């Protein structure tokens, strides 16, 4: 809506702030939700929620939310490096470098804080043989962040975005490894929450039909809008 109204508005400042504020609110909300999921959701033996309204509001969740915001700034900046030129492109090299540092600091803080605050996570990551995997993840992530920073410093155009995707994939996989096999951490497993075989078969057939269409649609969009955004007014 902000995009649409901004296009037809004489005073675009209001809609700039509306779009920025709305995006920030969404990113913070996603981070707080993710932090709440990592913290675990209190349920009874039947799987009914028995927690409180403000269970998600805690220091680790706030750290997750702030890190998620910086991660979005990072992936947005590195993508805009590939799409812009001139002064705007130089500006996004600066924001990409800054958000790389802040994202790394946030990820480091979470790596330290999560085992300290949450006993299920501490028990899992210090258990053999999982500890070997958890010891390797920070080194792999740090290496990817170093390569990302190097590509930014070298003023490369496509590699910062590629390395950012690698960092995101490492983060998602490590998070999945932490909570596996729980679908409601750390109470209900995916096996306990699974649907019947007939329902799963129907969903696989349904998803199998639509996923290729969605993939084709996204590839087509990227194909249509590939290349630089060249306009004397795109920075206005």
């Amino acid at each position: 809506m902000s995009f649409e109204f901004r296009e037809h508005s004489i005073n675009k400042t209001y809609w700039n702030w509306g779009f920025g504020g709305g995006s920030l609110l969404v990113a913070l909300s996603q981070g707080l939700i993710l932090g709440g999921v990592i913290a675990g959701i209190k349920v009874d033996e039947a799987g009914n929620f028995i927690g409180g309204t403000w269970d998600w509001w805690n220091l680790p969740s706030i750290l997750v939310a702030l890190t998620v915001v910086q991660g979005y700034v990072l992936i947005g900046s590195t993508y805009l490096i590939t799409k812009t030129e001139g002064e705007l492109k130089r500006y996004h090299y600066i924001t990409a470098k800054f958000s790389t540092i802040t994202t790394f600091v946030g990820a480091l803080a979470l790596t330290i804080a999560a085992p300290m605050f949450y006993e299920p996570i501490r028990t899992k990551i210090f258990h053999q043989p999982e500890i070997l995997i958890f010891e390797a993840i920070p080194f792999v992530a740090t290496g990817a962040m170093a390569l990302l920073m190097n590509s930014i410093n070298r003023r490369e155009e496509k590699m910062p975005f590629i390395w950012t995707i690698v960092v995101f994939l490492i983060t998602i996989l490590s998070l999945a490894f932490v909570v596996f096999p729980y679908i409601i951490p750390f109470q209900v497993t995916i096996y306990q929450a699974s649907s019947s075989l007939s329902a799963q078969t129907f969903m696989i057939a349904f998803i199998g039909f639509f996923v290729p269409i969605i993939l084709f649609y996204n590839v087509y969009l990227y194909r249509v809008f590939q290349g630089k955004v060249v306009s004397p007014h795109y920075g206005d």
Side-chain angles (χ1 to χ4, degrees):
M1 289 179 62
S2 296
F3 272 130
E4 292 293 333
F5 281 102
R6 182 186 185 280
E7 179 66 23
H8 301 286
S9 176
I10 297 175
N11 183 7
K12 302 182 184 298
T13 303
Y14 174 82
W15 298 110
N16 289 341
W17 281 99
F19 178 73
S23 299
L24 177 61
L25 180 61
V26 169
L28 286 172
S29 299
Q30 290 179 354
L32 290 170
I33 292 170
L34 179 60
V37 170
I38 295 175
I41 301 172
K42 297 177 183 179
V43 296
D44 59 20
E45 294 181 356
N48 300 311
F49 178 70
I50 58 173
T53 305
W54 297 94
D55 286 353
W56 53 271
W57 184 254
N58 51 67
L59 179 58
S61 292
I62 295 172
L63 285 175
V64 172
L66 295 176
T67 305
V68 167
V69 171
Q70 295 306 308
Y72 283 160
V73 172
L74 174 60
I75 199 168
S77 297
T78 53
Y79 178 70
L80 287 171
I81 288 172
T82 68
K83 298 295 291 183
T84 57
E85 56 186 13
E87 186 63 30
L88 194 56
K89 180 180 177 181
R90 287 190 290 271
Y91 173 77
H92 287 300
Y93 275 117
I94 297 173
T95 59
K97 187 173 183 178
F98 177 79
S99 56
T100 298
I101 297 172
T102 54
T103 301
F104 178 76
V105 171
L108 180 62
L110 287 171
T111 302
I112 298 172
M116 292 176 59
F117 280 86
Y118 305 126
E119 183 179 353
I121 295 179
R122 182 169 63 252
T123 302
K124 182 170 185 177
I125 66 176
F126 289 111
H127 183 269
Q128 293 285 358
E130 289 89 343
I131 188 173
L132 299 176
I133 299 176
F134 283 109
E135 286 179 346
I137 289 174
F139 290 101
V140 174
T142 301
M145 295 291 282
L147 292 170
L148 167 60
M149 181 64 79
N150 181 61
S151 65
I152 295 172
N153 290 332
R154 291 167 59 90
R155 291 296 189 267
E156 296 177 3
E157 191 165 279
K158 294 183 179 180
M159 289 310 298
F161 183 61
I162 293 174
W163 282 118
T164 301
I165 293 175
V166 171
V167 170
F168 266 71
L169 289 175
I170 294 172
T171 303
I172 293 170
L173 290 174
S174 61
L175 176 62
F177 191 77
V178 167
V179 300
F180 182 83
Y182 294 97
I183 191 68
I184 302 180
F186 293 89
Q187 300 289 334
V188 180
T189 67
I190 56 175
Y191 311 109
Q192 294 171 322
S194 62
S195 303
S196 64
L197 180 61
S198 59
Q200 293 184 42
T201 303
F202 174 78
M203 290 181 65
I204 289 175
F206 183 81
I207 294 172
F209 176 76
F210 279 101
V211 166
I213 297 176
I214 295 172
L215 290 175
F216 173 79
Y217 171 74
N218 281 274
V219 170
Y220 175 75
L221 283 181
Y222 274 94
R223 181 71 178 176
V224 170
F225 294 104
Q226 67 179 334
K228 298 284 186 180
V229 178
V230 181
S231 170
H233 305 293
Y234 71 7
D236 296 339

